[in-house]
Amino acid sequence: MKPAFVPPPHHLALISTLSVHPAFTTRAKTTEMLEAANLAIKYLGTVNRIVGPMSANVQDAFFFHGPGTASRRGVISRRTTGGNVSPNKEEFEIIDIELANTSSLWARAEDFWHVVGWGFNCSVVHIKRWERWRMWLEYMVGVLEDDWWMRTPGEQGDSLIVKYLNPEDQGNTGEKRIIRAIFADGGPRSMAEFKEVWSNETRERKTNTDAEVARKAPAKINIEEGEYGDYMQSSEDELEDEVPAESIINSHLNSDSTTSYTDGSLLLGGSAALQLRLRLTALLVLVAKELPDKFISYANLFDVYITHIRPLPLPTFSLFLSPPYLRFLQLGEQTDLVQYIASSFISTSAPRMNFDDMDQQILEKCVLPWPANTTSIDDNAKLGACVETLLRLFNNVAGLKWTDKLQHCALMGIEAREGNATHRRKRKGEAGSGAGTEGDRAWLEASGKRILGVLQMAKDNLT
């Protein structure tokens, strides 16, 4: 990277706050304030692209110091990458305004996972706030990814994602809480655990007050003295509560009609949110594999992760196994994850899978012929989805070799799962035990057809 001027960490921290603060986004009084937020997130992305997270010193910039506390960061006002810069007293400065201290993102949020959980809650129930948190999370996840991969293996223990997983001054933040943040769904438990970052954050500006606001005499503004007039204040008459999207999404997902299966990503905030959840998962997997002493072991991470994947409705569950989302994991990690999920569903009569050495014989013996360990249509359909994904992944890695035995084992499993599936587990909030049964049965039958489709492709490759 070429030498470039970069802002000091406390400036980056302030710019990050500006990019998501409600006063500059969903409650912005003027188009100029909204444009400031847009330019802030664009500027952050540009800095990361040009100089990278290490040269930008994001570890100091993006440090969470707890609710209600003021930042005490003081750094040189300007420095360059690629050279040594010695700070002078004249260059040492602190930004003494609320937005850079007690009202900053880094003071309001408990930690990174608080923001992750709240952002994903917004993706489900506060769509307008999600529009802004999505941009911030996409930027931050990109920073975390770049910071990890730009380091040598010996340096990755000092990466920002490791700091967020195990902050030095807070002890281990708890892997279960971290996974709950990644799976935050706007439900009562998630909303209680991952609350809004700023007070009344989801309240919006009433559109019919714009003319009235424009007629007001401008208040005194003095940026150097930290006086922003009334830009950071909003009266009750100017604000209104956002209508939560929860009721719309829940009615869609609980519908008896086939439309409830059209977009499984809605339950977790849509495609963009689901991709961010998988990208964060991929980062956790990297740390668990390479630095388990800094987090938890690879196997223990999957154990925690599976407790959140298993209960998901079929359309959402299946997305986690689809190529557009699995692609964020490395190929071996994709196989491991799907094996772990499958092992949690498969019949107790099935031989134990060897997670370190998957081959076609193991597929034929331990995976293909077996039903789920319950008679639930839902569980058998989910196992069918896992079987299909494992076949596709194995074909990508080693190439399936079609044989009569492979075909026989696959047909055995399809018949076993369809015969074993006798009832549907009722979900919370559904009107009756039969709600959605036809939809789940359709998923089960479709998984069987897709499995046979994969085998047909393998057979065609023989000729």
Side-chain angles (χ1 to χ4, degrees):
M1 291 185 179
K2 296 179 180 179
F5 283 109
V6 294
H10 61 310
H11 284 196
L12 286 177
L14 174 59
I15 294 167
S16 181
T17 294
L18 288 175
S19 72
V20 287
H21 196 288
F24 289 83
T25 54
T26 45
R27 291 210 296 265
K29 290 189 174 184
T30 66
T31 56
E32 287 81 5
M33 294 179 72
L34 182 58
E35 181 63 13
N38 293 336
L39 289 173
I41 196 70
K42 184 176 180 180
Y43 179 78
L44 291 171
T46 301
V47 170
N48 189 58
R49 187 175 66 255
I50 293 176
V51 304
M54 295 175 67
S55 295
N57 197 12
V58 296
Q59 294 234 7
D60 285 346
F62 301 155
F63 169 72
F64 291 89
H65 39 90
T69 61
S71 171
R72 290 292 177 261
R73 288 175 287 204
V75 292
I76 59 172
S77 60
R78 208 176 187 203
R79 61 190 181 88
T80 62
T81 63
N84 296 320
V85 179
S86 300
N88 298 318
K89 288 184 179 180
E90 302 82 42
E91 296 177 310
F92 201 85
E93 65 173 81
I94 291 177
I95 305 176
D96 192 20
I97 60 172
E98 274 192 29
L99 273 178
N101 291 280
T102 56
S103 291
S104 75
L105 169 63
W106 315 100
R108 295 289 305 180
E110 296 173 27
D111 56 19
F112 177 68
W113 305 107
H114 172 196
V115 182
V116 168
W118 170 242
F120 286 144
N121 278 336
C122 288
S123 75
V124 181
V125 296
H126 296 296
I127 306 303
K128 290 187 178 178
R129 279 306 289 163
W130 167 240
E131 292 172 2
R132 185 56 54 170
W133 281 118
R134 176 186 59 79
M135 289 188 280
W136 188 88
L137 282 171
E138 285 176 346
Y139 161 73
M140 280 299 299
V141 173
V143 166
L144 294 173
E145 291 167 340
D146 292 346
D147 184 55
W148 174 271
W149 289 114
M150 289 177 70
R151 295 175 183 271
T152 65
E155 297 173 330
Q156 287 172 339
D158 296 322
S159 63
L160 188 57
I161 183 61
V162 171
K163 299 293 185 186
Y164 285 166
L165 290 171
N166 193 12
E168 294 177 2
D169 59 337
Q170 298 176 32
N172 197 304
T173 58
E175 64 275 4
K176 291 183 179 179
R177 176 175 174 269
I178 289 168
I179 300 299
R180 287 197 300 272
I182 291 176
F183 279 89
D185 61 0
R189 289 186 178 180
S190 287
M191 294 293 282
E193 183 171 16
F194 303 107
K195 298 180 172 128
E196 60 184 6
V197 174
W198 287 281
S199 180
N200 297 319
E201 181 182 329
T202 60
R203 301 193 73 185
E204 301 172 9
R205 178 163 301 284
K206 292 180 181 178
T207 56
N208 61 359
T209 63
D210 290 348
E212 181 181 344
V213 172
R215 289 195 297 270
K216 289 184 179 179
K220 179 182 177 183
I221 298 175
N222 188 330
I223 295 176
E224 291 183 358
E225 298 296 328
E227 297 176 3
Y228 287 81
D230 60 355
Y231 273 37
M232 298 292 292
Q233 302 171 0
S234 297
S235 69
E236 286 293 316
D237 292 338
E238 294 174 328
L239 301 180
E240 61 183 354
D241 293 326
E242 179 188 356
V243 177
E246 184 177 16
S247 58
I248 301 172
I249 293 173
N250 283 346
S251 64
H252 176 77
L253 292 170
N254 290 333
S255 170
D256 290 350
S257 69
T258 56
T259 58
S260 62
Y261 289 88
T262 56
D263 189 355
S265 67
L266 279 178
L267 184 69
L268 293 177
S271 179
L274 198 55
Q275 290 188 45
L276 282 167
R277 295 174 196 267
L278 266 296
R279 288 171 67 187
L280 284 167
T281 298
L283 282 166
L284 300 192
V285 169
L286 286 170
V287 178
K289 279 181 65 177
E290 304 299 331
L291 301 166
D293 57 315
K294 298 285 188 179
F295 185 35
I296 56 174
S297 71
Y298 193 54
N300 287 343
L301 173 62
F302 283 152
D303 285 340
V304 178
Y305 199 75
I306 286 169
T307 62
H308 292 269
I309 289 182
R310 275 182 58 97
L312 293 173
L314 263 166
T316 310
F317 175 90
S318 297
L319 283 178
F320 276 87
L321 306 182
S322 64
Y325 297 101
L326 272 183
R327 67 186 172 88
F328 296 110
L329 298 169
Q330 297 178 32
L331 198 52
E333 296 163 357
Q334 294 177 29
T335 304
D336 289 343
L337 175 60
V338 180
Q339 279 184 270
Y340 268 91
I341 298 172
S343 67
S344 74
F345 284 109
I346 208 161
S347 169
T348 54
S349 300
R352 188 177 181 86
M353 279 186 272
N354 184 349
F355 289 92
D356 297 324
D357 189 23
M358 173 65 75
D359 59 24
Q360 189 161 316
Q361 287 185 334
I362 292 175
L363 279 172
E364 294 170 349
K365 181 180 179 181
C366 305
V367 181
L368 288 179
W370 300 100
N373 50 22
T374 74
T375 58
S376 160
I377 302 173
D378 188 81
D379 288 352
N380 280 275
K382 288 175 179 176
L383 177 57
C386 291
V387 172
E388 176 201 346
T389 302
L390 283 173
L391 283 170
R392 292 185 186 278
L393 289 172
F394 185 80
N395 191 46
N396 290 339
V397 174
L400 278 173
K401 296 178 178 60
W402 185 91
T403 63
D404 288 332
K405 183 179 180 180
L406 181 69
Q407 187 80 16
H408 175 68
C409 290
L411 286 169
M412 277 182 61
I414 293 168
E415 293 173 3
R417 287 186 290 276
E418 292 183 0
N420 187 47
T422 59
H423 77 281
R424 181 177 184 272
R425 187 180 295 112
K426 181 180 176 181
R427 294 194 191 101
K428 184 178 178 182
E430 288 182 337
S433 59
T437 299
E438 291 184 5
D440 282 0
R441 176 69 68 177
W443 276 85
L444 174 59
E445 293 172 355
S447 73
K449 292 177 182 177
R450 290 193 298 269
I451 288 169
L452 293 178
V454 175
L455 296 188
Q456 185 61 47
M457 287 190 292
K459 188 176 182 179
D460 292 342
N461 289 335
L462 292 176
T463 59

